[in-house]
Amino acid sequence: MKQSDGMTVIVKTITRMSVWLIILYGIYIILHGHLTPGGGFAGGVIIALAFLNVMLAYGRKYTEQWLNVRIMYDLVSTGAILFLIIGIFGIALKGSFLANILDLGELFKLESAGVIPIIDIFIGVIVSMGLFVMVWTLAVFHLEDGGEE
Amino acid sequence: MIIYLLCFILFLVGLYGVLTKRNLIKIILSLSIMEYSANLFLVLFGYKRDALFPILEKGKEIQSMVDPLPQALVLTSIVIELGITAMLVALAVRLYQKYKTFDITKIRRLSG
Amino acid sequence: MIVPYFIIIPLLAAFLITLISSDDDRWAIVISILAVIILGILSVIGFISVSKEAIVYSMGGWKIPYTVCLVLDPFSSFMLFIIPLIGLAALLYSISYIRHLSKSWKYYALFMLLITGMNGVVITGDLFNLFIFMEVALFAAYSLVAYGGKAEEFEASFKYAVMGSISSSLILIGIGLTYSITSTLTLAKIAEVLPGQNPVVVNWIGAIFLAGFGLKAAIMPFHAWLPDAHSSAPAPISSMLSGVLIKALGIYVLIRLFYNVFGLPKIFSDIFLVLGGISIICASLLAISQWDFKRLLAYSSISQIGFILLALGIGTRMAVFGAIFHILNHAIFKSLLFFNAGTVEMALGTRDLRKMGKLGKVLPITSTTSMIATLSVSGLPPFNGFFSKMIIIIAAIQAGFFQSAIVAVIGSVLTLGYFLKVQRHGFHGEKEFNEITNVPSTGMRTAMIILAILCVCSSVLIIPGIKDVVFDPVIDTIINKTEYIQLVLGR
């Protein structure tokens, strides 16, 4: 069996069934970052691992058709720029970088804690896309290419 | 006190690996061990016996908690180490492409 | 409220470059040069506005011990001025130099990250935040050293990254120890609490920080990565690393920690003196035996860092003046020398001094500017290197450190020796060249001419009236150790 064909049918089936659940769990962790342990980084890693799961199970060729890796590169920078813009809004409205510009809300509610959930979402985007792209870039290296002499 | 000593031994294990191993990948692994021992060191400083995790929950009284700041620092430093490790792995792959080996005794075009 | 923009602008520029560039590097060049110019203007404004009273800025609108604070005092704004100055010259130089290697916007994005990291280290008032920005700068530096894609560059970058990671782990442990005995991470608060602590623990923390940041500054026992990394990197990156990075990450942090936070205990000033002397002599002797142009320059950097460290060990007002003046001067002339080396490498395809020859005819500007830089680095009047070295030597004699003064004089003579070798073999040798393949472009020539003019002009700063305005606030910040605490905590 060729390398690009991925793993056996058992792994493929399990991956197909579980990938959206894993992504959903990652989104849950990101959205509850201000209430429970976790947050942008942890949830982002979980989402990235879901994508990497697909890459390992189905191979790179299939994943390239399924996902647009090109856009993922851009999403990393977009997330970072949006994060900075939130910070600059803090300067503009409250006079301090990353200051809270929204209503604090009620304790233990999902829609509380001001800008922290929004920042968490941006961090989640940066981390999930960034980690996937990072491993993807390492995976597309060919060990035998590019030698000198 | 013994636990700090064990942590320091872990650091020395990593340092030993960095200094003596010849394989690039093993050097990267040893570096990770060293960095983890530094992280463990930080978390140990925040630890308090019989204290709770520092998360506020509904209906929970505020009582003795472990120090959350070292944990936040460790999370940040883990992220940094992730980046550095990926960087080192990428460099190792490119070095393999150039030299066809992971052995550092054969990778020595720079000398002196 | 200009303080956070020193970090926001280069970071925003880095991500904008990655977002809008596809294959072309034109927008990347425009954005990065614009960002660096804005940073330079901001630093001048900052320097003027903080000369009376420093600005303390706390992130997120929280109070000082509970948040990360940014401190803009005369010393940090002085460093913030050097970074975009050399950065602008390096960017002008890189436009055609990097296209000659491989045309890509990635270089400019990484360059902006390098500037973000250095600006962050210089401006922050929080120990852990300093660590983070240091890692950002180092990450960009590792990638940029390997940018050319040759085997030697990957090797040098790997070596640099491994040694950098070891020292970062040491620094992290030092931060943990500091936090465990002071329960705070704000530098000013640490400085306030530290005198009452057990001096043995404090000295151990100092030793760990000296090893960690000494490796970033490439002081002599920790220097092994520098000659490889600085000689293998692309020329503009060598100039950034040698001119600014080792000072922003190494010397600046050492001054901040050991002067403003630890209050310069006697034991550390002695260590500074000894390590500085070792760096000057050993690195000069190693440089004499080199035939690789950039490797010789890299060893010369270690030796010049030794001069700065020696002056910091003396610790008098005049010595500190010499140290910060030498930081500025070394940034200027060493960047210029690396640009010269890069131009010669691009034109002739070699860095070996024995294969170079009479270059005055084919590379007139490179030859002339390298002569100016040589005279400057070896300390001949009226160039800037003469004044800073003279001040350091006079300060050593005044404070009664005669051995250090002798070491500094010997170091200057050795510097003159190995740079005469460069001029004799590299630019005025026997070999004749009639035509060369890659002529330096306008941008490269402009960068070299600007720095050569600065080599002469910055000696103006020694004149008492100008010195009072420019250097006295900086020296006051460094010498008055308790002032930093009062300034940040506001008593």
Side-chain angles (χ1 to χ4, degrees):
Chain A
M1 204 157 105
K2 273 187 295 179
Q3 201 190 355
S4 57
D5 288 337
M7 297 188 185
T8 57
V9 68
I10 303 173
V11 180
K12 280 185 179 174
T13 315
I14 300 285
T15 306
R16 196 167 60 232
M17 281 153 64
S18 66
V19 59
W20 289 109
L21 280 176
I22 300 176
I23 290 175
L24 196 65
Y25 182 62
I27 292 172
Y28 167 83
I29 295 273
I30 290 175
L31 288 182
H32 287 73
H34 54 296
L35 300 174
T36 55
F41 182 73
V45 170
I46 291 169
I47 294 177
L49 291 180
F51 292 144
L52 290 175
N53 216 350
V54 174
M55 189 186 95
L56 291 175
Y58 283 85
R60 284 203 298 272
K61 208 175 276 175
Y62 179 85
T63 319
E64 222 162 11
Q65 290 161 3
W66 184 55
L67 292 168
N68 190 344
V69 182
R70 188 73 232 159
I71 285 182
M72 294 180 127
Y73 279 98
D74 290 345
L75 273 176
V76 179
S77 348
T78 317
I81 287 173
L82 287 173
F83 180 95
L84 280 173
I85 287 173
I86 289 276
I88 293 169
F89 264 119
I91 298 179
L93 299 177
K94 290 282 164 80
S96 176
F97 187 72
L98 275 183
N100 191 18
I101 49 173
L102 297 176
D103 191 22
L104 272 181
E106 203 180 325
L107 203 59
F108 306 121
K109 282 274 176 58
L110 187 60
E111 57 277 10
S112 64
V115 291
I116 293 178
I118 299 170
I119 291 173
D120 258 347
I121 291 170
F122 293 152
I123 295 175
V125 171
I126 299 171
V127 172
S128 56
M129 299 300 145
L131 192 63
F132 175 76
V133 162
M134 206 161 83
V135 181
W136 178 267
T137 318
L138 285 175
V140 295
F141 271 140
H142 290 290
L143 272 186
E144 306 305 324
D145 288 358
E148 284 176 350
E149 284 99 43
Chain B
M1 199 59 220
I2 186 103
I3 200 157
Y4 289 104
L5 201 67
L6 290 173
C7 184
F8 185 62
I9 290 172
L10 189 62
F11 184 83
L12 291 183
V13 168
L15 193 62
Y16 172 81
V18 173
L19 294 177
T20 59
K21 290 296 166 197
R22 290 175 163 194
N23 192 313
L24 289 179
I25 304 295
K26 283 183 183 166
I27 290 176
I28 296 169
L29 290 178
S30 312
L31 268 180
S32 301
I33 292 174
M34 246 171 82
E35 285 162 348
Y36 287 139
S37 81
N39 290 343
L40 183 62
F41 206 54
L42 251 72
V43 171
L44 284 177
F45 280 132
Y47 177 72
K48 206 156 74 174
R49 193 172 284 275
D50 297 329
L52 284 175
F53 51 87
I55 296 162
L56 201 60
E57 280 176 344
K58 205 176 267 185
K60 187 174 126 185
E61 290 172 31
I62 296 173
Q63 45 193 322
S64 166
M65 288 178 175
V66 296
D67 191 348
L69 187 68
Q71 303 184 357
L73 302 188
V74 164
L75 265 179
T76 317
S77 91
I78 286 173
V79 178
I80 293 169
E81 281 155 21
L82 171 74
I84 298 286
T85 310
M87 172 87 210
L88 281 166
V89 171
L91 282 174
V93 171
R94 297 303 298 268
L95 276 171
Y96 186 87
Q97 287 180 346
K98 299 286 180 196
Y99 291 92
K100 304 290 176 217
T101 176
F102 279 126
D103 189 348
I104 53 163
T105 53
K106 299 204 176 81
I107 301 176
R108 42 185 320 128
R109 210 168 286 178
L110 294 166
S111 55
Chain C
M1 277 296 136
I2 57 168
V3 183
Y5 290 103
F6 284 110
I7 298 165
I8 295 172
I9 289 170
L11 200 58
L12 199 62
F15 288 114
L16 267 181
I17 287 169
T18 57
L19 193 60
I20 66 170
S21 316
S22 49
D23 295 327
D24 201 24
D25 61 348
R26 213 172 304 140
W27 280 107
I29 293 167
V30 172
I31 291 175
S32 50
I33 286 182
L34 208 64
V36 169
I37 288 174
I38 294 171
L39 283 177
I41 295 168
L42 274 184
S43 69
V44 173
I45 297 171
F47 192 82
I48 293 165
S49 62
V50 299
S51 56
K52 296 246 165 19
E53 195 179 0
I55 304 172
V56 180
Y57 185 92
S58 39
M59 299 283 249
W62 296 76
K63 290 246 160 36
I64 274 286
Y66 306 109
T67 183
V68 172
C69 61
L70 306 177
V71 181
L72 187 71
D73 62 0
F75 183 35
S76 48
S77 54
F78 174 73
M79 292 300 291
L80 283 174
F81 176 70
I82 298 178
I83 294 166
L85 179 75
I86 305 299
L88 183 63
L91 275 175
L92 282 178
Y93 188 87
S94 353
I95 295 168
S96 54
Y97 188 86
I98 291 300
R99 278 184 181 163
H100 157 75
L101 284 176
S102 80
K103 185 178 172 183
S104 174
W105 49 267
K106 287 172 187 144
Y107 172 84
Y108 298 95
L110 286 168
F111 197 97
M112 285 293 113
L113 270 187
L114 186 69
I115 287 185
T116 312
M118 288 190 293
N119 270 356
V121 165
V122 169
I123 208 172
T124 187
D126 184 277
L127 194 53
F128 193 74
N129 200 19
L130 191 150
F131 174 78
I132 294 168
F133 280 120
M134 185 183 77
E135 290 295 318
V136 171
L138 284 173
F139 189 82
Y142 304 150
S143 330
L144 284 169
V145 168
Y147 187 79
K150 287 204 269 307
E152 294 91 350
E153 297 174 5
F154 292 124
E155 201 179 326
S157 174
F158 193 84
K159 198 172 176 181
Y160 184 16
V162 168
M163 300 196 74
S165 305
I166 294 173
S167 76
S168 297
S169 303
L170 277 178
I171 291 167
L172 196 60
I173 288 174
I175 291 171
L177 279 170
T178 316
Y179 181 70
S180 78
I181 65 166
T182 61
S183 306
T184 179
L185 286 170
T186 310
L187 285 173
K189 200 88 179 158
I190 294 171
E192 194 186 42
V193 181
L194 215 52
Q197 304 299 321
N198 184 355
V200 178
V201 182
V202 174
N203 284 347
W204 270 105
I205 293 172
I208 288 175
F209 279 144
L210 184 64
F213 291 110
L215 199 141
K216 314 290 195 219
I219 301 162
M220 196 61 186
F222 316 109
H223 71 286
W225 59 271
L226 187 139
D228 290 344
H230 288 203
S231 61
S232 305
I237 295 309
S238 306
S239 79
M240 277 306 273
L241 295 183
S242 229
V244 196
L245 189 89
I246 54 175
K247 299 193 190 69
L249 263 56
I251 296 293
Y252 170 84
V253 182
L254 284 178
I255 293 176
R256 192 57 101 197
L257 281 180
F258 285 96
Y259 273 78
N260 290 141
V261 175
F262 288 92
L264 197 67
K266 180 83 177 63
I267 178 166
F268 286 114
S269 62
D270 289 349
I271 292 175
F272 279 4
L273 276 177
V274 173
L275 291 184
I278 293 173
S279 299
I280 293 174
I281 298 296
C282 296
S284 302
L285 290 176
L286 283 168
I288 287 179
S289 64
Q290 296 298 325
W291 284 103
D292 184 334
F293 192 0
K294 282 173 89 174
R295 214 174 172 77
L296 187 148
L297 294 179
Y299 276 113
S300 158
S301 283
I302 303 175
S303 136
Q304 304 300 319
I305 287 291
F307 275 98
I308 299 170
L309 203 69
L310 188 87
L312 291 177
I314 295 165
T316 57
R317 194 181 168 82
M318 189 151 187
V320 171
F321 171 47
I324 54 175
F325 195 26
H326 204 62
I327 289 177
L328 174 67
N329 294 344
H330 180 251
I332 293 169
F333 58 63
K334 193 48 65 69
S335 306
L336 177 53
L337 281 165
F338 270 115
F339 288 165
N340 296 146
T343 315
V344 173
E345 190 187 0
M346 194 170 137
L348 305 182
T350 180
R351 298 201 301 251
D352 195 330
L353 290 172
R354 284 167 293 197
K355 289 181 187 147
M356 289 152 67
K358 205 169 258 163
L359 296 176
K361 209 192 306 171
V362 281
L363 294 169
I365 290 172
T366 314
S367 188
T368 319
T369 51
S370 85
M371 182 54 96
I372 292 173
T374 301
L375 295 178
S376 192
V377 69
S378 10
L380 293 176
F383 298 101
N384 54 12
F386 168 72
F387 294 107
S388 48
K389 280 186 182 171
M390 187 187 69
I391 290 164
I392 292 172
I393 292 166
I394 290 175
I397 292 169
Q398 270 184 355
F401 294 103
F402 294 109
Q403 297 96 327
S404 304
I406 291 168
V407 165
V409 170
I410 294 172
S412 308
V413 174
L414 288 174
T415 312
L416 184 62
Y418 59 74
F419 275 103
L420 278 182
K421 174 180 159 183
V422 170
Q423 288 298 326
R424 168 76 185 75
H425 291 277
F427 291 95
H428 299 89
E430 285 95 35
K431 214 187 235 179
E432 293 274 356
F433 289 94
N434 286 322
E435 56 187 42
I436 45 171
T437 44
N438 288 306
V439 190
S441 69
T442 323
M444 292 163 79
R445 275 179 292 185
T446 321
M448 285 190 282
I449 290 169
I450 290 173
L451 287 181
I453 292 169
L454 278 176
C455 267
V456 187
C457 287
S458 59
S459 22
V460 171
L461 294 172
I462 194 87
I463 295 169
I466 303 173
K467 180 209 162 220
D468 293 345
V469 179
V470 178
F471 283 113
D472 275 3
V474 185
I475 302 167
D476 285 338
T477 345
I478 299 173
I479 290 284
N480 299 336
K481 291 143 195 159
T482 47
E483 201 176 76
Y484 181 73
I485 305 172
Q486 285 162 358
L487 177 152
V488 177
L489 299 178
R491 310 248 160 80

